[in-house]
């Protein structure tokens, strides 16, 4: 997602940074996701996505943030959270919205679809909650 945003000219005046927090430790250390959440609910859940947004807002001193967490593929033995199970979140310091995705593509298409849908969720959030 960062590449999509920063490919636009002058994006540096609006984009503070991003983090790829692929494992539990990175989510905890960089975005302040609670260890207990990861242990009890896992990385792919609504609570984790919300905490990732809250952590990004703080870490990057941002007005808005977006986060994704999901199982992109290849297939695993996890029947509870099959490939394509994704949570996206967007928000500001006042409110965070989430959406669960159930994608049925291969890894690459799941990643692309997640990024597009997450950026769209952020876009919608900003439009609906801009208080300037």
């Amino acid at each position: 997602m960062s590449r999509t945003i920063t490919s636009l000219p002058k994006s540096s005046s609006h984009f503070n940074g991003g983090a790829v927090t692929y494992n539990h430790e990175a989510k905890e250390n960089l975005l302040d996701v609670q260890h207990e959440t990861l242990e009890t609910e896992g990385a792919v859940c609504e609570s984790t996505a919300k905490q990732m947004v809250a952590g990004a807002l703080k870490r990057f001193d941002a007005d808005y943030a977006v986060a994704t967490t999901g199982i992109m593929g290849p297939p695993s033995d996890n029947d509870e959270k099959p490939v394509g199970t994704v949570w996206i979140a967007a928000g500001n310091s006042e409110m965070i919205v989430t959406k669960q995705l159930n994608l049925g593509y291969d890894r690459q298409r799941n990643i692309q679809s997640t990024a597009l849908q997450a950026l769209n969720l952020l876009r919608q959030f900003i439009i609906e909650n801009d208080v300037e």
Side-chain angles (χ1 to χ4, degrees):
M1 281 189 300
S2 298
R3 185 180 82 177
T4 302
I5 296 169
T6 59
S7 66
L8 300 172
K10 300 183 181 183
S11 59
S12 62
S13 62
H14 301 286
F15 185 78
N16 294 353
V20 177
T21 56
Y22 205 64
N23 65 24
H24 286 203
E25 292 78 20
K27 284 176 177 55
E28 289 179 50
N29 295 332
L30 295 172
L31 299 179
D32 298 326
V33 174
Q34 296 173 2
H35 180 77
E36 183 179 329
T37 301
L38 295 168
E39 288 297 311
T40 59
E41 299 179 55
V44 182
C45 70
E46 183 178 30
S47 298
T48 297
K50 283 183 169 181
Q51 289 175 39
M52 289 172 71
V53 168
L57 288 166
K58 200 164 104 176
R59 167 74 59 187
F60 297 105
D61 189 29
D63 294 326
Y64 299 98
V66 61
T68 69
T69 184
I71 303 169
M72 300 300 167
S76 70
D77 297 332
N78 190 341
D79 293 332
E80 204 173 301
K81 294 179 184 175
V83 170
T85 303
V86 179
W87 279 95
I88 59 177
N92 60 20
S93 61
E94 303 293 316
M95 177 175 39
I96 297 171
V97 296
T98 61
K99 182 177 180 181
Q100 184 177 12
L101 307 176
N102 295 296
L103 307 172
Y105 310 117
D106 59 56
R107 181 178 179 81
Q108 191 59 40
R109 284 188 60 196
N110 285 342
I111 291 169
Q112 290 172 342
S113 182
T114 296
L116 290 174
Q117 291 192 59
L119 288 172
N120 191 50
L121 183 68
L122 177 62
R123 180 189 68 80
Q124 290 172 328
F125 181 87
I126 292 170
I127 289 169
E128 293 169 8
N129 297 286
D130 190 16
V131 281
E132 284 185 33

